[in-house]
Amino acid sequence: MTERFASLMERKLPMLDRLAVITARDQYVRKVLIPMFSDEALDSEVRTAFQSGAGGYIYQVDTLNTAELKLILQEYSWADIIEGEPQLFTQVFHVVQHSPDEAFRAEVLAEIAPYAERGEIDGQEYALMYDRVELAAGRQQLYGSQLECLNGQFDVHDLKDPEGVDARRASMGMQPLQDYLEQGRALYGPC
């Protein structure tokens, strides 16, 4: 076990600093900006303007993070990231999920599918990325994880087989869709 751990750390430590920067940047902008634009005390026009401006800033961060992650993936594989500690994948997952590069997300989804099938990565994370990739390709989402502003509140759109969604969500370790919607609406506020 000690040799295996030493070998794992020897391979992973050089990439950890680089991954830590992009994953911290990804989460920091969201943890700072989302509570600001979901503040119910904001006038609706101010909220809309702030959401738009914040969205532009987040887009810049996501573009930078995507470019840096692609450089890391030239040296390391998804197996290197996932092996021995799936929580590292969880951190990197958010960077991919937030990437504005649709082709990159689809490519990563295909690469991580075997890990999801074997239960080596979180099913909910796989479902989130799957839905985002499907919608970007003009297809319907399967798990109802992607929300859109409809009639002033966030709601699910383009959902395939709505009657079976909660069973699919449960199979991926996700909560019922209605609970997810309520949490999303509370987090993001009106839109």
Side-chain angles (χ1 to χ4, degrees):
M1 182 64 165
T2 305
E3 280 184 42
R4 183 173 181 267
F5 177 78
S7 172
L8 183 66
M9 288 300 104
E10 186 176 312
R11 284 194 331 268
K12 286 195 174 207
L13 285 176
M15 80 173 149
L16 290 180
D17 288 342
R18 295 165 68 191
L19 290 173
V21 169
I22 62 176
T23 59
R25 192 169 39 218
D26 173 81
Q27 290 302 294
Y28 178 77
V29 296
R30 286 164 171 82
K31 287 180 181 173
V32 169
L33 294 175
I34 289 173
M36 289 179 176
F37 69 65
S38 63
D39 182 356
E40 292 184 19
L42 286 178
D43 174 76
S44 65
E45 288 182 28
V46 172
R47 177 183 293 111
T48 300
F50 184 76
Q51 286 174 338
S52 177
Y57 183 77
I58 290 172
Y59 178 85
Q60 290 176 351
V61 168
D62 292 344
T63 300
L64 173 63
N65 284 345
T66 299
E68 290 183 19
L69 180 56
K70 285 179 177 182
L71 289 174
I72 293 169
L73 289 171
Q74 289 176 1
E75 298 174 46
Y76 299 94
S77 69
W78 284 105
D80 293 329
I81 294 170
I82 295 168
E83 183 189 359
E85 54 173 327
Q87 67 272 17
L88 180 59
F89 170 77
T90 295
Q91 295 171 356
V92 177
F93 156 81
H94 293 289
V95 174
V96 177
Q97 181 73 347
H98 296 142
S99 173
D101 186 335
E102 294 173 4
F104 177 62
R105 281 197 315 263
E107 178 183 305
V108 170
L109 181 70
E111 290 182 40
I112 66 168
Y115 298 100
E117 291 167 7
R118 292 189 301 263
E120 294 176 26
I121 60 173
D122 185 89
Q124 178 172 325
E125 291 166 351
Y126 180 80
L128 288 167
M129 192 177 301
Y130 180 90
D131 279 354
R132 188 165 283 193
V133 167
E134 289 298 288
L135 288 173
R139 296 182 293 264
Q140 293 179 306
Q141 60 178 315
L142 196 56
Y143 302 99
S145 66
Q146 303 302 301
L147 305 179
E148 180 179 87
C149 184
L150 301 169
N151 301 318
Q153 70 177 0
F154 287 99
D155 210 339
V156 173
H157 63 103
D158 292 331
L159 180 62
K160 184 177 184 174
D161 181 29
E163 294 78 26
V165 69
D166 281 335
R168 289 190 303 275
R169 290 176 65 83
S171 75
M172 300 303 268
M174 301 169 81
Q175 67 192 114
L177 182 58
Q178 189 57 43
D179 295 347
Y180 179 73
L181 280 172
E182 289 171 11
Q183 286 179 347
R185 290 170 181 160
L187 176 64
Y188 295 111
C191 56

